[in-house]
Amino acid sequence: MDNRAKVIVVGSGLAGSRTAQFLQEYCDVTLLTKGELMDANSALAQGGIAAALNTGDSVNSHFADSMLAGGNESDKNNLKILIREGRKDVKTLIQEGMEFDRNADGSLNFGLEGAHSTPRIVHAGGDFTGKKVLEFVQSKFQNIRVITNAFVSELLVRNTKNGSEVYGVRFLDKQNREMIQIADFVVIATGGLGKMYKFNTNSSTVCADGFALAKRAGAKLRDMEFVQFHPTLLKSTTPILISEAVRGAGAKLVNSDGDYFMKNKHKYEDLAPRDIVSREITREITLGKDVFLDASACANFEKRFPFIAQKLKENDIRRDRIPIIPAAHFFMGGVTVDSTGRSNLRNLYAVGEVASTRAHGANRLASNSLLECLVFSRRVAQDILSRKLNHNPEQIEAIRATETSQIHVPSLMQIQEKASCSIGIIKKQAKLRDFMNWLSKFDTQKISTSKEINELENLVLVAREICAASLKRSTSLGAHYIEVDV
Ligand code: SIN
């Protein structure tokens, strides 16, 4: 009998993959992922990893920048952990063989991004950072049972004398069969909720699933009003993120009248925190203007941003006139966890974007998210390894065939349209109330056996949480900007 702890990790972005990598030597690890292994936001992350490793930089300075960007709402302890331990975790990654971009003298090349007071972002392959880091971590997989195209539809929970306990998951496999898998520990690392919005920078697999799974199982969610919008998504039929690092390298925002409208709006101008820049762009658009990024002043553009340069070329877009629009990017709220990733349900952990450690406060600082994945995946793994076992033995078994579902849900287009205008960059109380009324028509407690319907139910459930939290907070804070009825 294998006496190792059975661990299920749900999600194959950096948070999930790194957790699995840490545990593979000591545990029986199954990694379930909704698409293929690289279908994750981490693989799309262009901006790199922020860490106070540059000469003249300090943990205090990185902490202060993160705190300010987050509206002074960060959990100080967890933010300190992120910044302090993050330096070591980046060094560990380098010792394991990960190659970051370097200067001619061999020193790390540090980039600048929004709301950072000094260059401190390491990149790999220019704007391919997330892809390179994720590939690197997954290249270390040796002893992990990876199941791709596995859509987790339910966390299995039982009542014990110590309270509710998670003991496995139900999922739909590639052939759409319902399966269950039992485990000692379940780690959710499903990312955020980009698909809720028409314009978003996320992988199309990122659909609020983890929040909905956790909520239905009885886990606590918090800070659901804090959705971060990135100022610059390429406005095109094939939209891609235009990294903040491009503005860090000298690009400027300009409207169709030729005005550099971020001038005098903030001391960092185009590199002000994302919520501020996104709102200013939205105001320009509301005035009927188009907004562009003028990247003509960026030196070595093709070398520093090979992915973006290629996409601009494919779309026949000039570098001095890149059409952009703000887009949903990151979620600061999520499953309430402590600094080891433990949720309020026994044996359930959450890590990465789906988790709320509150390290990011009300608005995450650029390039702190891959850092979060590195730091908190290690902490989750260490905590699991410190736990005593009460084995749940069984493996995968098919339990029943797929049924056609009768559950009534709105279409994705309806959800996206309503979410974009009600729980977007600028919220209004009356619109929030209308959206809430509309959402309340749909039942999200029954779990459909159709993946597509289940995804829509998840979006509805989470939209309701965002609406409720947004209505509760009547003053603006960080990424939550609300105009109150008069
Ligand atoms: C970007 O490259 O602008 C995004 C980086 C991040 O979200 O941290």
Side-chain angles (χ1 to χ4, degrees):
M1 154 120 179
D2 184 352
N3 269 325
R4 295 174 307 159
K6 289 185 168 47
V7 182
I8 295 173
V9 178
V10 187
S12 61
L14 188 58
S17 290
R18 189 75 168 158
T19 306
Q21 183 203 347
F22 279 127
L23 290 173
Q24 62 181 342
E25 200 179 321
Y26 316 98
C27 302
D28 174 345
V29 183
T30 302
L31 181 84
L32 300 174
T33 187
K34 195 174 165 183
E36 299 301 325
L37 264 182
M38 290 296 283
D39 289 332
N41 279 350
S42 307
L44 300 177
Q46 297 173 10
I49 308 181
L53 294 166
N54 201 357
T55 334
D57 197 3
S58 68
V59 164
N60 284 349
S61 163
H62 189 182
F63 178 87
D65 291 348
S66 305
M67 202 68 191
L68 201 62
N72 287 314
E73 276 291 296
S74 295
D75 176 295
K76 289 200 178 90
N77 185 45
N78 283 339
L79 181 57
K80 266 185 210 148
I81 288 173
L82 177 72
I83 307 287
R84 213 181 267 148
E85 297 185 7
R87 296 173 84 237
K88 273 202 230 129
D89 285 309
V90 171
K91 285 186 191 161
T92 305
L93 204 58
I94 294 172
Q95 277 155 12
E96 287 174 27
M98 175 67 213
E99 287 178 12
F100 288 103
D101 297 343
R102 291 182 181 267
N103 300 311
D105 64 1
S107 58
L108 283 168
N109 181 298
F110 293 98
L112 183 67
E113 285 175 22
H116 285 273
S117 55
T118 186
R120 63 164 68 95
I121 326 285
V122 290
H123 289 93
D127 54 8
F128 281 108
T129 310
K131 180 170 181 285
K132 296 265 180 202
V133 175
L134 190 58
E135 279 172 351
F136 176 79
V137 167
Q138 291 178 354
S139 75
K140 303 283 176 194
F141 284 7
Q142 280 179 339
N143 205 8
I144 296 167
R145 187 180 307 105
V146 174
I147 307 181
T148 58
N149 297 289
F151 178 76
V152 175
S153 56
E154 189 183 0
L155 298 173
L156 304 178
V157 187
R158 65 183 166 209
N159 291 324
T160 71
K161 60 179 185 330
N162 297 319
S164 297
E165 171 177 290
V166 170
Y167 67 97
V169 303
R170 186 191 301 268
F171 68 95
L172 292 170
D173 74 359
K174 200 172 182 168
Q175 285 79 38
N176 224 23
R177 291 174 304 182
E178 267 201 349
M179 316 288 271
I180 54 169
Q181 175 134 355
I182 307 299
D184 300 300
F185 305 105
V186 175
V187 182
I188 342 179
T190 44
L193 46 71
K195 206 166 175 178
M196 178 90 71
Y197 297 87
K198 183 167 169 204
F199 295 108
N200 71 75
T201 64
N202 288 193
S203 157
S204 61
T205 52
V206 175
C207 191
D209 303 317
F211 311 110
L213 281 175
K215 174 81 186 171
R216 286 197 196 94
K220 289 192 180 126
L221 305 181
R222 70 177 168 200
D223 292 346
M224 299 301 283
E225 65 273 44
F226 298 125
V227 183
Q228 181 177 79
F229 290 80
H230 194 289
T232 54
L233 178 78
L234 177 68
K235 201 174 163 199
S236 135
T237 46
T238 51
I240 57 149
L241 177 73
I242 306 289
S243 175
E244 214 160 52
V246 176
R247 274 173 284 137
K252 298 270 178 230
L253 289 160
V254 59
N255 68 18
S256 34
D257 295 341
D259 297 330
Y260 291 96
F261 58 88
M262 282 310 296
K263 198 138 194 73
N264 304 322
K265 296 278 166 45
H266 186 274
K267 69 172 176 170
Y268 291 153
E269 300 186 355
D270 297 85
L271 284 170
R274 289 173 180 176
D275 59 312
I276 296 173
V277 182
S278 294
R279 276 199 299 279
E280 292 305 329
I281 297 174
T282 304
R283 288 191 177 115
E284 294 295 316
I285 294 172
T286 312
L287 292 172
K289 296 174 192 175
D290 291 322
V291 177
F292 302 90
L293 199 57
D294 173 358
S296 52
C298 301
N300 300 321
F301 190 82
E302 278 79 12
K303 181 151 184 275
R304 291 166 81 178
F305 308 108
F307 175 69
I308 297 173
Q310 177 62 30
K311 293 290 166 192
L312 294 183
K313 203 166 157 201
E314 283 169 15
N315 284 280
D316 208 14
I317 292 171
R318 281 172 23 204
R319 214 202 314 153
D320 63 348
R321 207 168 165 78
I322 305 170
I324 59 89
I325 188 160
H329 182 60
F330 188 83
F331 191 57
M332 275 70 65
V335 181
T336 305
V337 294
D338 66 12
S339 56
T340 62
R342 288 190 195 198
S343 74
N344 61 303
L345 296 180
R346 263 174 73 80
N347 303 339
L348 179 69
Y349 290 79
V351 65
E353 191 174 347
V354 73
S356 163
T357 62
R358 279 205 167 127
H360 304 306
N363 194 22
R364 174 178 64 80
L365 183 68
S367 286
N368 270 358
S369 62
L370 292 181
L371 187 70
E372 170 183 40
C373 295
L374 293 179
V375 172
F376 287 97
S377 59
R378 174 184 46 74
R379 294 189 134 250
V380 164
Q382 284 169 339
D383 195 69
I384 287 176
L385 294 176
S386 74
R387 298 275 301 274
K388 278 232 300 281
L389 276 189
N390 55 339
H391 255 324
N392 291 315
E394 281 324 307
Q395 279 299 331
I396 305 175
E397 64 183 85
I399 52 165
R400 66 181 142 104
T402 311
E403 293 162 10
T404 317
S405 170
Q406 300 301 317
I407 295 171
H408 172 51
V409 279
S411 70
L412 179 62
M413 211 202 276
Q414 283 176 308
I415 297 172
Q416 287 182 332
E417 262 167 26
K418 288 190 185 283
S420 302
C421 85
S422 312
I423 47 172
I425 296 171
I426 298 178
K427 298 169 186 160
K428 292 187 177 21
Q429 283 184 326
K431 283 202 171 159
L432 283 169
R433 280 193 294 267
D434 285 351
F435 190 32
M436 194 64 165
N437 285 339
W438 182 76
L439 290 165
S440 62
K441 291 193 282 201
F442 306 101
D443 176 9
T444 52
Q445 274 317 19
K446 283 190 221 120
I447 303 168
S448 167
T449 49
S450 143
K451 175 184 153 211
E452 287 69 30
I453 293 177
N454 202 329
E455 277 190 339
L456 297 170
E457 291 181 271
N458 290 347
L459 287 173
V460 169
L461 185 155
V462 175
R464 226 185 265 139
E465 295 289 317
I466 297 175
C467 253
S470 300
L471 279 165
K472 237 188 214 158
R473 193 184 284 279
S474 57
T475 50
S476 300
L477 177 67
H480 167 72
Y481 188 85
I482 186 155
E483 290 178 355
V484 177
D485 298 346
V486 279

